[in-house]
């Protein structure tokens, strides 16, 4: 994949409706983590960094949820972290806004339909593997950071696999997919970033002004719902707490609502999820 063309990206972004984030972009061919780049700028520049996009061709220390390694070899796709500023309720919905924005961008720019799994993955079923489990095409990582004046900002990291799973470590070959192998139109990073920045601008405004509509849009495409799940819930100590039940809804803030076998209902803001292969029939497990 050729080096990122910042001038081309800005031209593509300028041709889209106003209000997009990412009008200010900083690109590094290689960096430790775009999340760390955005955090450093947010700390040193404050409000001047709001809306900025921090992009890299390769990450040497990328990470996912719970501090896990986020593999991102050179040329595999788009790696970006946005510094988003807004109200605390909007910041709490940054993951949902980011996931929906990725879907909006892929639909518009690559003619590719995607769906979502709780809490933060964008997935697609590859035509070459129809009938199999959905495969991850993008991941979202949102972190809140305290800012001056009591403000709380969001750092929204997004990784989109623009090529194919073959560009990723072999350990991910059965669970990951790329835009092209999933049947989408080939995209350069500049094209994907322009479409994503425009879509995220719209979804970020929705997170602030129409949060119920934002969550409803995500809920409609959330593959996790209506299935039996096994959650490994993080807690202090060497082992996670394990919960099993029916994932039947999400809260307005995006928490997963799970009904256990005894009928009790619990909500979860974070967990590792193993999902049953077959959706629960409508009404099954409901009271």
């Amino acid at each position: 994949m050729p080096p990122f063309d910042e001038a081309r990206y800005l031209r593509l972004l300028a041709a889209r409706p106003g209000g997009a984030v990412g009008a200010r972009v900083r690109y590094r061919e290689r960096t430790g983590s775009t999340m760390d780049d955005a955090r450093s700028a947010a700390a040193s520049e404050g409000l001047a960094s709001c809306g900025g996009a921090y992009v890299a061709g390769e990450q040497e220390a990328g990470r996912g949820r719970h501090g896990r390694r986020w593999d991102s070899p050179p040329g595999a796709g788009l790696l970006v972290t946005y510094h988003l500023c807004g109200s605390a309720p909007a910041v709490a919905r940054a993951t949902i806004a980011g996931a929906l924005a990725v879907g909006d961008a892929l639909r518009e720019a690559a003619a590719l339909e995607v769906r979502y799994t709780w809490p933060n993955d964008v997935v697609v079923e590859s035509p070459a593997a129809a009938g199999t489990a959905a495969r991850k095409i993008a991941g979202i990582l949102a972190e809140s950071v305290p800012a001056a004046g009591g403000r709380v900002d969001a750092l929204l990291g997004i990784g989109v696999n623009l090529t194919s799973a073959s560009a990723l470590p072999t350990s991910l070959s059965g669970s990951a997919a790329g835009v092209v192998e999933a049947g989408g139109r080939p995209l350069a990073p500049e094209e994907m970033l322009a479409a994503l920045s425009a879509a995220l601008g719209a979804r970020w405004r929705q997170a602030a002004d129409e949060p119920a509509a934002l969550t409803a849009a995500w809920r409609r495409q959330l593959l996790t719902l209506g299935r039996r799940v096994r959650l490994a819930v993080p807690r202090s100590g060497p082992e996670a707490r394990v919960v099993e039940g029916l994932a039947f809804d999400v809260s307005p803030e995006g928490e997963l609502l799970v009904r256990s076998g005894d009928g009790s209902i619990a909500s979860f803001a974070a967990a590792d999820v193993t999902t049953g292969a077959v959706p629960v029939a409508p009404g099954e497990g409901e009271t």
Side-chain angles (χ1 to χ4, degrees), residues 59-261:
Q59 291 185 136
E60 297 177 329
R63 60 186 181 276
R65 292 190 311 121
H66 310 312
R68 297 191 184 98
R69 180 181 176 86
W70 183 352
D71 290 297
S72 47
L78 174 67
L79 304 169
V80 57
T81 294
Y82 293 93
H83 176 199
L84 301 176
C85 300
S87 66
V91 167
R93 298 181 178 91
T95 297
I96 300 175
L100 288 171
V102 170
D104 295 340
L106 288 173
R107 185 179 305 109
E108 185 268 329
L112 183 64
E113 293 291 336
V114 300
R115 297 185 75 178
Y116 311 99
T117 58
W118 188 90
N120 66 333
D121 287 345
V122 182
V123 299
V124 68
E125 184 178 76
S126 170
T132 65
R135 299 166 71 193
K136 182 174 177 177
I137 202 167
I140 317 295
L141 177 65
E143 295 182 358
S144 60
V145 292
R151 197 178 74 249
V152 177
D153 296 347
L155 302 181
L156 181 66
I158 297 175
V160 184
N161 184 12
L162 297 180
T163 53
S164 69
S166 63
L168 298 173
T170 55
S171 61
L172 300 177
S173 60
S175 60
V179 169
V180 175
E181 68 181 320
R185 184 177 74 82
L187 291 176
E190 301 88 349
E191 294 175 291
M192 181 64 206
L193 185 62
L196 178 59
S197 293
L200 182 58
R203 290 298 186 181
W204 189 238
R205 290 191 296 273
Q206 190 178 36
D209 300 334
E210 301 177 280
L214 182 85
T215 303
W218 185 57
R219 179 189 289 114
R220 286 193 294 271
Q221 297 297 320
L222 199 56
L223 290 176
T224 310
L225 298 185
R227 295 176 182 262
R228 301 202 179 279
V229 295
R230 185 176 189 270
L231 305 180
V233 184
R235 64 179 178 183
S236 59
E239 296 183 357
R241 178 169 64 99
V242 175
V243 177
E244 296 184 352
L246 170 68
F248 69 94
D249 203 355
V250 289
S251 74
E253 293 74 32
E255 295 176 326
L256 188 67
L257 303 182
V258 176
R259 178 179 288 109
S260 299

